[in-house]
Amino acid sequence: MPTSKSYGYIRVSTKEQNDARQRIAMIDAGVDEKYIYQDMQSGKDFARPAYQRLMRKIKKDDLLYIKSIDRLGRNYAEIIEQWRILTKEKGVDIIVLDMPILDTRRGKDLMGTFLSDIVLQVLSFVAENERDNIRQRQAEGIAAAKAKGIRFGRPAKPLPANFPSAYQAWKQGHITGTAAAKQCNMPLSTFRYRAARYEENMQ
């Protein structure tokens, strides 16, 4: 008879994030390191190579460990759907190490399943809501910094020495914008953009 196996799934969003905490937790739980699958990318969807390999490998009655619910994904609806596919369609048990109540081996009766599903949905909502809050705080921080005059991105190249004279000739209608841009050795769109910034600084 085939025996069940324990698998682990790790996801880190960037190369700068360390997977050690998740990996140690999996090994401490008894997962063989060769059965730990890891992706290094965003959790916004499930088009992740290691996750897809895991889904092809994992079978009925196998056990899947994840460190926290947001390692499985970040999108509320997708997390619920993947949880359903794993537990209902593939017959896999899931253990969320940071939330022991999310252990599908326990409470297989109707009440246990009901409570587990409620907790899962609440945690998935919280994970998605927190991500939205982080994005909002980032946007507010950027807006506040811009209001203080802090600029983002690469610093602009210095204007060519003949820019003021070309700008004045264009502004007074003596030459076209295309001719002014050519004099400054820049595309017309860049010339118009730099002219607008030049005007702002003159005010």
Side-chain angles (χ1 to χ4, degrees), residues 163-182:
F163 184 88
S165 59
Y167 167 81
Q168 288 297 335
W170 166 69
K171 200 68 176 175
Q172 293 169 8
H174 299 317
I175 60 174
T176 65
T178 301
K182 189 173 182 180

Side-chain angles (χ1 to χ4, degrees), residues 69-82:
I69 194 68
D70 65 349
R71 296 304 88 194
L72 184 61
R74 294 291 182 89
N75 179 276
Y76 170 75
E78 276 291 333
I79 292 174
I80 299 297
E81 176 63 8
Q82 290 300 313

Side-chain angles (χ1 to χ4, degrees), residues 18 45 60 75 94 123:
N18 194 325
D45 57 49
K60 179 178 170 56
N75 179 276
I94 305 175
L123 290 178

Side-chain angles (χ1 to χ4, degrees), residues 59-98:
K59 299 290 190 295
K60 179 178 170 56
D61 296 327
D62 284 343
L63 184 58
L64 175 62
Y65 287 88
I66 56 175
K67 187 70 170 69
S68 58
I69 194 68
D70 65 349
R71 296 304 88 194
L72 184 61
R74 294 291 182 89
N75 179 276
Y76 170 75
E78 276 291 333
I79 292 174
I80 299 297
E81 176 63 8
Q82 290 300 313
W83 188 276
R84 184 191 65 79
I85 291 171
L86 283 162
T87 59
K88 304 295 193 296
E89 294 185 10
K90 296 185 75 70
V92 172
D93 276 314
I94 305 175
I95 295 176
V96 180
L97 294 171
D98 283 353

Side-chain angles (χ1 to χ4, degrees), residues 94-136:
I94 305 175
I95 295 176
V96 180
L97 294 171
D98 283 353
M99 184 58 62
I101 194 171
L102 288 177
D103 180 346
T104 61
R105 298 172 304 174
R106 302 174 181 174
K108 292 283 188 179
D109 60 1
L110 182 61
M111 181 57 69
T113 301
F114 176 69
L115 290 174
S116 179
D117 286 348
I118 288 177
V119 174
L120 170 68
Q121 293 193 40
V122 169
L123 290 178
S124 300
F125 171 78
V126 169
E128 184 174 5
N129 192 57
E130 177 59 19
R131 190 177 80 258
D132 291 341
N133 288 340
I134 290 171
R135 279 204 299 261
Q136 183 178 346

Side-chain angles (χ1 to χ4, degrees), residues 135-147:
R135 279 204 299 261
Q136 183 178 346
R137 288 195 295 269
Q138 288 174 337
E140 290 171 350
I142 290 170
K146 285 183 176 178

